[in-house]
Amino acid sequence: MNENLKIAVQKKGRLYEGSMSLLKECGIEVSNGNNQLRVQAGNFPLEIFFLRDDDIPEYVQDAVADIGFVGENVVAEKNKDVISLEKLGFGKCRLSLASPGNSSINSISDLNGKKIATSYPLILSLFLKEKNIQATIQEISGSVEIAPRIGLADAICDLVSSGSTLFSNELSELQTVLKSEAVLISNKNLPADKQELLDKLLFRIRSVKKAKNNKYVLLNAPNEKLDDICGLLPGMKSPTILPLAEKGWSSVHSVINESDFWNVIEQLKKNGAQGILIIPIEKMIM
Ligand code: PRT
Ligand code: ZN
């Protein structure tokens, strides 16, 4: 059949760069498609559709696109019948409740009987229901942060990343409602040939993500310390040990995870490791 897999990505906005870089890191060439609705990838049977992020879940549900890159916040709000397959590590933010710093609303229970402005009425209504809070939801499509100042609402529920928008509008965060990042979503009934292409793409995405979460480490160690040092460095199978020209010393090569990176480095130094080099990994195939 040789059908293309069709992917929907944001046309412009906060997810555009991350989406295009991820495709590039997966070895997929896409010529600058910023002004086109769709482009064909050069070296993978992939067709890229550039859309507004809000429309992506529906297009994937309706099989206009087979898969998409979109924020978890949008997936949850649009509530379409799609599968979330993989978090992608970019577009990180949180949907939070916030109130004016000088108001009487200091915790979420103070929201009872109040009006909350948001572009996320579904997520917010489910959250309020779960917390047993009775509040009115005022749906607005943008500039949510100014709603309390113009008297439209008592509080807001909006996306936050650095927090500077809340700060400059004198709003304080009350509680996180949802944590979000970009995810890969898929249509529920992909034909077998497209599923095969998706599996290939997913394999590449996971290899790229794994590489980003890991570093290659090279160090020198006195031979009597090798057991302790290797215990700190499990590696992909086990560390590689090569003798140095200087007697009694070895070079150790391994892979360490970003999450406990500094901890491991400190332990390595304590155990006599010297000349530690940390090198980024481009792809990691398990
Ligand atoms: O045109 P289109 O509909 O495609 O774009 P859009 O304007 O709806 O979306 P866009 O590009 O603003 O955001 C796309 C996605 O990026 C969102 O759905 C989130 O998944 C993700 N994302 C990550 C964010 C933010 N961080 C973010 N900070 N989306 C919006 N913001 C806004 C927020 O609404 C607030 O106005 O940035 C402001 C707060 O930022 P800080 O840094 O001041 O806290
Ligand atoms: Zn949007």
Side-chain angles (χ1 to χ4, degrees), residues 10 52-55 74 120:
Q10 194 188 21
R52 285 202 59 196
D53 67 343
D54 313 68
D55 296 334
V74 173
Y120 293 87

Side-chain angles (χ1 to χ4, degrees), residues 114-128:
K114 302 286 198 240
K115 200 192 253 188
I116 309 168
T118 190
S119 310
Y120 293 87
L122 177 65
I123 301 174
L124 179 59
S125 65
L126 293 172
F127 178 83
L128 293 175

Side-chain angles (χ1 to χ4, degrees), residues 124-136:
L124 179 59
S125 65
L126 293 172
F127 178 83
L128 293 175
K129 199 169 165 198
E130 185 198 309
K131 301 286 174 192
N132 209 6
I133 292 166
Q134 263 86 45
T136 308

Side-chain angles (χ1 to χ4, degrees), residues 44 65 67 72 170 183 211:
F44 194 92
I67 59 170
E72 289 174 291
E170 293 173 19
V183 279

